[in-house]
Amino acid sequence: YELTQPPSVSVSPGQTARITCSGDAVARQYSYWFQQKPGQAPLLVIYKGTERPSGIPERLSGSTSGTTATLTISEVQAEDEGDYYCHSAGMFGGGTRLSVL
Amino acid sequence: QVQVQESGPGLVKPSETLSLICTVFGDSMFTKKHTWGWVRQSPGGGLEWIGSISYARGTFDNPSLKSRVTMSLDTSNNQFSLKLRSVTAADTAVYYCGRVEPAVETIDTPSAFDIWGPGTMVTVSS
C-alpha cells in the first residue's frame, strides 16, 4: 500500500484548509492524522477517520470517501502551521506542509 | 497522565544492533494495560512504523523491518525495548516510542500513537 498527500497547502487566516490522503489502505482500515511542528513529536489530531482526541479543537475534522481521507481545518489560525501526516494500515503518507499566509 | 521517554546510544556502527528502551511513567500497571510501539523519522522527514507490542496479544511488526526487529516488554520496570539488527546508514533517524490509541488497539493495525516520547536521534556511522 501507499498513501499519497500533496506536498504543500497554503491558506490565509480564517479560511478553510483541506488536506487529502489517497490510497487503497484508506478504504480498508481506519485513517488517522498527525500534526507535527519543528522539533516536536507528532500529535494525534484525528483517529478512526473522524474522531478527535481530547483537547483537539473542533475546527479540525476528518472524513473518508472511498480511497481518500481528508483533514479539514476550518478558520485556520497561525498556530495551525506545520506538517500533517496521514496514517492507515501501519503506513504514513509523505506529509503535507500547511502554510498560513 | 502517562508519559514515555526513549533512551539509548546516539551512535551505532554499521552492521551492529541498535538497542533502545522506552520507560513508561505513570500507573505501574500501564505497560500491562496498553499496547506500545516504535516509530522512526528519517532526516528527510518521512515517518515509518517499526512495530508494536502488547502484554496480552504479543507483537505486531512492519513487514519491511520484521526480519531485523525484536521487541520486548519488561512490566516489572514499566519499560519496553527495541532491537534493530544489522543496521546501515538508512537506519539513521529519530526514534519515537509511544502508546497505541486505546480506542483502536484491538480493532485496527496497532500503529497509531496517542502518546509520544520526545524522540531520540540515532546515527549509524563508523
Side-chain angles (χ1 to χ4, degrees):
Chain A
Y1 299 127
E2 291 184 351
L3 298 175
T4 301
Q5 299 180 233
S8 63
V9 169
S10 299
V11 295
S12 299
Q15 289 189 329
T16 296
R18 292 181 179 84
I19 300 173
T20 58
C21 172
S22 298
D24 289 343
V26 169
R28 299 171 188 261
Q29 296 192 30
Y30 287 120
S31 56
Y32 306 80
W33 290 93
F34 295 89
Q35 175 196 70
Q36 188 177 33
K37 298 189 178 182
Q40 297 182 16
L43 171 70
L44 181 67
V45 296
I46 296 290
Y47 67 99
K48 287 176 68 177
T50 60
E51 302 292 322
R52 271 186 311 276
S54 174
I56 301 302
E58 292 183 7
R59 302 185 294 104
L60 278 69
S61 62
S63 62
T64 303
S65 178
T67 59
T68 300
T70 301
L71 173 68
T72 301
I73 307 174
S74 305
E75 300 176 356
V76 167
Q77 302 175 6
E79 67 187 41
D80 298 323
E81 236 181 30
D83 295 326
Y84 290 82
Y85 295 89
C86 67
H87 179 69
S88 184
M91 298 179 296
F92 287 92
T96 299
R97 174 70 53 89
L98 176 64
S99 298
V100 182
L101 303 173
Chain B
Q1 179 73 6
V2 181
Q3 293 183 316
V4 295
Q5 172 81 53
E6 308 87 355
S7 59
L11 181 64
V12 182
K13 290 182 168 54
S15 80
E16 295 190 345
T17 296
L18 178 160
S19 296
L20 295 174
I21 289 174
C22 183
T23 302
V24 180
F25 299 97
D27 189 319
S28 62
M29 294 297 292
F30 271 166
T31 47
K32 282 189 176 181
K33 286 181 184 176
H34 299 291
T35 302
W36 309 91
W38 298 90
V39 164
R40 67 183 182 180
Q41 187 165 31
S42 65
L47 291 165
E48 182 177 31
W49 173 62
I50 299 170
S52 298
I53 185 166
S54 159
Y55 177 79
R57 298 180 298 125
T59 59
F60 305 85
D61 303 299
N62 183 332
S64 68
L65 295 169
K66 180 175 182 175
S67 64
R68 297 196 290 134
V69 168
T70 300
M71 291 177 291
S72 61
L73 199 54
D74 180 358
T75 57
S76 60
N77 289 307
N78 249 16
Q79 295 178 328
F80 58 101
S81 66
L82 168 71
K83 292 187 186 299
L84 180 65
R85 295 178 292 279
S86 305
V87 297
T88 69
D91 295 309
T92 293
V94 175
Y95 285 75
Y96 296 99
C97 66
R99 184 185 76 172
V100 175
E101 162 59 54
V104 301
E105 62 182 332
T106 61
I107 61 172
D108 200 8
T109 301
S111 57
F113 301 170
D114 67 328
I115 294 172
W116 294 68
T120 187
M121 179 70 202
V122 179
T123 301
V124 179
S125 175
S126 54

